Amino acid sequence: MSLNVLIVGAGVCGPALAMLLQGSNPDHNITVVERFPELRTAGQQIDLKGGAVDVLKKMGLLSDMKSRCVNELGLEIVDSNGKQLATFGISPAGERRMTLTSEYEIMRGDVVSALYEASLKQNAKLEAERGKPTGLTYEFGKTLTDLTQSDNGVNVTFSDGQTRRYDLVVAADGQGSRTRRLAFGKEANDEALNSIGVHAAYYSIPRVEDEGELARAYNAPGKKMVLTRTSGRPVTQVLLFSMGDGEKLKDIYKEPIEKQKEAFAEVFKDAGWQSDRLMGGLSKCTDFYAHELGQIKMKQLYNDRVVLLGDAGYCPSPFTGMGTAGCLVGAYVLAGELARHGNNVPGALKAYEETARPAINEIQELPIKSLGIFFPSSQLGIWILRNVMWAVSKIEPLTRRSQKESQGWKLPEYPELNLTS
């Protein structure tokens, strides 16, 4: 039986799920709506590791993703003069090492583009083989304003005034999901965000001559951290993290972008190292994004026929490096259970919850209380941290053993998805 499915969000999760669902049953009617007027190909560098690699391999997309990876060779810790204090290399896929850089480092926009393009290519191929139009549609510049549920469907009102009915609505619209709020209510939505006490801003600036393939990390007094990543590209990504200015920053995200820029510039203006250059670039950048870091923890991933996928349901926070893995594994399991259960959507959602929950618990493992170690408040604390990092960088390669990323949850097999890889 074919389903009429609405997917909210055309980031990583949305196109991946659309492709998997259509591959399992070309008769499905799948609509992907995105609130931005076009595909969002901006964003920072992300990791492909854990289950993400396995899912992409099954989808036949791993080679394409590899070809789009950036050239980051590791991480160096620097002082206020830019002097290298410690270096860390690359963590191979499938292993866990003490480093920032994974084997597959890629820009978020390239992941989104690759999945979107692959879904359109599959759609065109199915149309040619079947000799009739298929049911995959992307609609940009549109979002949900209301939804009401019954036993066998969801009535959705869109921002353009249209109303439609679906067998299933999938919230794939990120950590701040509006769909989650509509489906689960304000109280459950607000309780879902578990702050880790860190505020972050991301943007890009022009690269300078001495920036190469090593990411750079710098700590400043007042629980501040600056990270830059060039990865052989013509621009440098800047990541600002603050653990000590929550009162100044927690309410700024409702303000216009320029106000948010001013708030972060005020916090980091005297951070040292390259603060003049970085703050100058902050004022001129066009890709600024800031938010409070946290994990999304929902007691249940679905409410009747609305289901949460990826960051909308179980954002692990950027510090785990497992956000993309959560998105792709979640899309794979949800599509697999829908394919396996046919027209029994409630049964499929229950199985999705039960199957994915152990994986979600794994990717959300984060020693939040120990995060403060990496955000010293004083120069003495920074000196201690730098010396510890130097010692670890020298000892870890000598004692290294192949430590797998996960010894627990294993990716299930779904022959119903008709994947060839």
Side-chain angles (χ1 to χ4, degrees), residues 61-110:
L61 298 178
L62 185 57
S63 294
D64 183 29
M65 291 293 181
K66 283 183 180 181
S67 71
R68 299 173 187 244
C69 284
V70 298
N71 185 32
E72 184 171 278
L73 301 182
L75 167 72
E76 61 178 344
I77 310 299
V78 300
D79 65 12
S80 58
N81 297 314
K83 179 183 176 182
Q84 183 185 95
L85 304 174
T87 60
F88 297 86
I90 296 173
S91 180
E95 294 186 18
R96 180 182 297 166
R97 295 185 183 175
M98 298 185 67
T99 185
L100 171 75
T101 307
S102 298
E103 180 177 348
Y104 304 128
E105 294 282 342
I106 187 169
M107 302 307 296
R108 176 197 172 274
D110 288 336

Side-chain angles (χ1 to χ4, degrees), residues 10-279:
V12 174
C13 292
L17 178 64
M19 185 175 177
L20 289 164
L21 283 177
Q22 189 183 48
S24 70
N25 185 350
D27 289 327
H28 285 325
N29 290 306
I30 304 164
T31 304
V32 184
V33 297
E34 168 59 50
R35 66 189 180 97
F36 286 87
E38 58 188 13
L39 195 69
R40 291 182 64 206
T41 55
Q44 297 299 310
Q45 191 170 313
I46 57 178
D47 303 321
L48 295 179
K49 60 184 181 181
V53 176
D54 297 328
V55 172
L56 291 170
K57 189 179 298 182
K58 288 179 178 293
M59 295 176 71
L61 298 178
L62 185 57
S63 294
D64 183 29
M65 291 293 181
K66 283 183 180 181
S67 71
R68 299 173 187 244
C69 284
V70 298
N71 185 32
E72 184 171 278
L73 301 182
L75 167 72
E76 61 178 344
I77 310 299
V78 300
D79 65 12
S80 58
N81 297 314
K83 179 183 176 182
Q84 183 185 95
L85 304 174
T87 60
F88 297 86
I90 296 173
S91 180
E95 294 186 18
R96 180 182 297 166
R97 295 185 183 175
M98 298 185 67
T99 185
L100 171 75
T101 307
S102 298
E103 180 177 348
Y104 304 128
E105 294 282 342
I106 187 169
M107 302 307 296
R108 176 197 172 274
D110 288 336
V111 176
V112 172
S113 294
L115 290 166
Y116 174 70
E117 291 163 9
S119 69
L120 294 180
K121 183 177 179 181
Q122 175 181 266
N123 187 62
K125 180 181 178 183
L126 288 170
E127 285 188 347
E129 291 174 350
R130 292 156 58 88
K132 61 179 182 179
T134 53
L136 174 59
T137 306
Y138 285 90
E139 299 182 12
F140 293 93
K142 178 181 289 190
T143 189
L144 280 66
T145 58
D146 191 30
L147 58 81
T148 56
Q149 301 203 58
S150 62
D151 290 340
N152 59 356
V154 187
N155 295 316
V156 174
T157 302
F158 292 98
S159 52
D160 60 2
Q162 287 188 338
T163 58
R164 300 180 196 164
R165 185 171 177 81
Y166 297 92
D167 299 310
L168 175 67
V169 173
V170 181
D173 47 347
Q175 176 181 318
S177 172
R178 300 179 182 183
T179 313
R180 183 181 65 232
R181 184 185 179 107
L182 287 173
F184 289 81
K186 182 180 186 301
E187 183 176 350
N189 179 74
D190 294 346
E191 289 177 355
L193 177 62
N194 291 258
S195 174
I196 64 173
V198 178
H199 295 260
Y202 320 97
Y203 59 98
S204 299
I205 61 176
R207 173 184 179 175
V208 294
E209 187 174 347
D210 71 334
E211 290 177 316
E213 285 72 39
L214 286 176
R216 290 173 172 173
Y218 167 76
N219 285 93
K223 299 185 177 182
K224 301 179 184 65
M225 182 191 299
V226 178
L227 184 67
T228 62
R229 310 180 83 166
T230 301
S231 308
R233 301 166 63 242
V235 296
T236 295
Q237 308 160 68
V238 181
L239 298 87
L240 307 177
F241 300 104
S242 174
M243 203 176 194
D245 297 276
E247 291 302 314
K248 295 180 183 178
L249 297 173
K250 67 178 183 179
D251 295 324
I252 198 65
Y253 308 112
K254 299 176 184 178
E255 300 294 329
I257 291 295
E258 290 306 315
K259 290 289 185 182
Q260 296 180 39
K261 286 184 177 183
E262 290 173 7
F264 273 89
E266 179 65 25
V267 168
F268 282 87
K269 66 180 181 181
D270 297 320
W273 186 38
Q274 298 185 12
S275 58
D276 289 345
R277 175 196 172 213
L278 301 183
M279 294 307 101

